[in-house]
């Protein structure tokens, strides 16, 4: 499956060292103003070479819209797009042709398909996520009419954790630093850690927190397509993602119901609200009108610039030391990808529930 979504669907294609990455968005509502500058800005948030904390690969990631847009608006027909690869160095991967990188997709792809593209990971490369960012940017443009806001930020790198709840910060400040953390002091500590890990030829993981505000009550489908189940599937499909939770998440396992229940009240405007949000904006698989708060955990990048023991394609012991340009931590560049997949999920549910 290279397609995500039901009524709003994104299909992606391409490999990291191929001619181009691209995709088709089907189900885009007609008449939506298509702001190409905004789409490009979203791509720029994800592209490589942003700072010394990311891979040094230089790609302008310029989007070309091929179809589905006329006189600046969506026509309701499939929107095709392509982004050409320009700065791939395939020779850097020649030493990986016949060996399996630990914790990478080399062995599983080779076993499943009988062959694999060893250059930059081929289809398994995180470069595929630029297609998701484009699909998410289109979804965000459609969501503007509903005043739905999606904001993600880095809340943890290694053992450095953002100390206060997200409500204590101006989340727009996340875009003022390379780590994409809303607290400048914490961001600098995270950056220092990433630089140290990079200097050691190692990598490190972290957590992206996402906030979806302004959702109507009732998005989601019982029983298998609960809102948070689909949102979780969207996040877990992102490269290097190893965990997803929502609201109190795993900490709920050690709490009592009296501590965790979100008590209802009616505000001065007559709206039904909850005094806390341990549910993370979802109850019974349906949105309840509060902020949807979720976390996405990313593992350290599997490709290390240091020697590791492994085996070759014949099962013989060997060693490997990767060359090329790689992210020491994917988390800062994953932030716009998390937002994009959340936007796609939300717009799809709005269409399913006939709210759009």
């Amino acid at each position: 499956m290279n397609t995500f979504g039901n009524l709003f669907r994104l299909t992606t294609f391409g490999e990291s060292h191929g001619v181009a990455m691209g995709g088709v968005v089907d189900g885009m509502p007609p008449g939506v103003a298509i702001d190409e500058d905004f789409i490009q800005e979203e791509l720029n948030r994800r592209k490589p070479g942003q700072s010394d904390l990311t891979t040094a690969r230089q790609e302008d990631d310029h989007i070309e819209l091929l179809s589905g847009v006329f006189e600046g608006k969506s026509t309701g027909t499939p929107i095709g797009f392509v982004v050409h690869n320009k700065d791939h160095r395939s020779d850097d991967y020649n030493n990986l042709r016949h060996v399996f990188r630990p914790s990478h997709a080399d062995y599983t792809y080779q076993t499943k398909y009988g062959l694999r593209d060893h250059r930059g990971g081929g289809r398994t490369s995180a470069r595929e996520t630029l297609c998701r960012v484009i699909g998410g940017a289109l979804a965000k443009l459609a969501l503007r009419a509903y005043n739905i806001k999606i904001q993600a930020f880095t809340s943890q790198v290694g053992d450095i954790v953002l100390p206060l709840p997200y409500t204590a910060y101006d989340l727009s400040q996340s875009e003022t630093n390379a780590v994409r953390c809303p607290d400048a002091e914490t961001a600098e500590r995270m950056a220092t850690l990433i630089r140290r890990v990079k200097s050691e030829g190692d990598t490190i993981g972290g957590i992206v927190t996402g906030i979806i505000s302004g959702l109507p009550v009732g998005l989601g489908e019982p029983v298998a397509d609960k809102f948070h189940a689909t949102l979780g599937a969207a996040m877990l499909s992102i490269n290097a993602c190893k965990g997803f939770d929502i609201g109190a998440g795993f900490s709920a396992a050690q709490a009592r119901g009296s501590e965790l229940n979100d008590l209802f009240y009616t505000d001065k405007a007559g709206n039904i609200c909850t005094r806390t949000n341990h549910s993370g904006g979802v109850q019974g698989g349906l949105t309840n009108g509060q902020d949807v708060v979720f976390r996405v955990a990313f593992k350290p990048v599997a490709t290390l610039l240091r020697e590791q023991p492994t085996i070759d394609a014949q099962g013989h012991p060997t060693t490997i030391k990767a060359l090329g340009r790689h992210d020491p931590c994917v988390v800062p560049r994953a932030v716009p990808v998390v937002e994009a997949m959340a936007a796609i999920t939300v717009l799809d549910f709005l269409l399913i529930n006939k709210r759009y």
Side-chain angles (χ1 to χ4, degrees):
M1 287 293 291
N2 294 282
T3 300
F4 183 84
N6 296 285
L7 297 184
F8 183 85
R9 298 183 299 278
L10 170 67
T11 301
T12 72
F13 65 82
E15 294 81 34
S16 177
H17 286 228
V19 174
M21 308 298 299
V24 176
V25 169
D26 203 0
M28 181 72 172
V32 176
I34 302 301
D35 184 345
E36 291 191 42
D37 289 338
F38 171 75
I39 299 173
Q40 189 62 56
E41 288 169 3
E42 292 291 274
L43 272 177
N44 292 345
R45 296 172 65 207
R46 192 224 69 97
K47 74 178 183 179
Q50 297 178 39
S51 72
D52 64 337
L53 304 182
T54 69
T55 170
R57 181 170 174 172
Q58 295 295 318
E59 296 280 1
D60 59 14
D61 284 352
H62 177 71
I63 182 176
E64 297 178 39
L65 293 177
L66 306 177
S67 62
V69 179
F70 180 68
E71 295 184 341
K73 292 186 177 181
S74 59
T75 62
T77 58
I79 298 178
F81 62 85
V82 68
V83 174
H84 288 276
N85 296 324
K86 298 180 179 179
D87 188 33
H88 43 73
R89 299 179 184 174
S90 299
D91 289 346
D92 286 345
Y93 295 86
N94 286 342
N95 66 324
L96 305 179
R97 181 182 290 272
H98 302 297
V99 297
F100 297 142
R101 288 169 291 178
S103 289
H104 217 291
D106 298 343
Y107 167 67
T108 51
Y109 263 63
Q110 183 74 39
T111 301
K112 181 177 177 66
Y113 297 109
L115 73 165
R116 63 183 173 90
D117 184 348
H118 66 282
R119 305 165 304 166
R123 184 66 178 154
T124 69
S125 170
R127 185 152 176 76
E128 183 270 345
T129 60
L130 73 83
C131 303
R132 300 164 183 249
V133 171
I134 294 171
L138 290 167
K140 284 183 177 182
L141 290 174
L143 293 176
R144 284 180 175 179
Y146 290 80
N147 201 29
I148 293 171
K149 183 178 181 180
I150 299 171
Q151 173 80 60
F153 56 91
T154 299
S155 55
Q156 182 171 344
V157 171
D159 60 356
I160 299 174
V161 182
L162 193 64
L164 299 174
Y166 77 94
T167 51
Y169 302 100
D170 176 0
L171 298 186
S172 67
Q173 293 301 302
S174 302
E175 294 298 316
T176 64
N177 58 76
V179 185
R180 292 200 164 89
C181 174
D183 180 64
E185 181 180 350
T186 306
E188 185 54 41
R189 292 173 58 215
M190 291 174 172
T192 299
L193 175 59
I194 294 172
R195 291 188 185 101
R196 184 171 77 245
V197 167
K198 179 180 179 181
S199 71
E200 297 168 352
D202 212 338
T203 60
I204 197 162
I207 293 176
V208 173
T209 294
I211 313 294
I212 310 174
S213 303
L215 291 179
V217 177
L219 290 188
E221 293 294 314
V223 166
D225 289 332
K226 294 179 172 70
F227 183 89
H228 61 293
T230 303
L231 183 64
M235 299 305 152
L236 289 164
S237 73
I238 300 172
N239 306 62
C241 175
K242 283 295 185 181
F244 169 85
D245 75 357
I246 187 165
F250 282 93
S251 65
Q254 61 189 26
R256 299 188 180 189
S258 56
E259 299 171 314
L260 213 64
N261 281 353
D262 295 316
L263 305 182
F264 291 109
Y265 74 99
T266 303
D267 67 14
K268 293 181 180 179
N271 301 308
I272 295 177
C273 306
T274 59
R275 298 191 182 281
T276 53
N277 193 21
H278 300 302
S279 300
V282 180
Q283 293 171 327
L286 308 179
T287 55
N288 67 1
Q290 307 305 303
D291 286 354
V292 171
V293 184
F294 62 96
R295 286 160 296 277
V296 187
F298 291 90
K299 70 172 184 174
V301 176
T303 304
L304 307 186
L305 300 181
R306 57 161 64 178
E307 193 169 274
Q308 295 183 91
T310 187
I311 61 171
D312 61 24
Q314 287 73 45
H316 302 137
T318 186
T319 59
I320 184 175
K321 182 179 181 181
L323 304 174
R325 301 157 295 177
H326 306 279
D327 286 279
C329 179
V330 300
V331 175
R333 291 176 64 208
V335 167
V337 183
V338 167
E339 289 183 7
M341 295 306 293
I344 292 170
T345 301
V346 169
L347 180 55
D348 197 30
F349 270 122
L350 283 173
L351 292 168
I352 291 170
N353 286 259
K354 299 181 179 179
R355 300 290 187 96
Y356 197 95

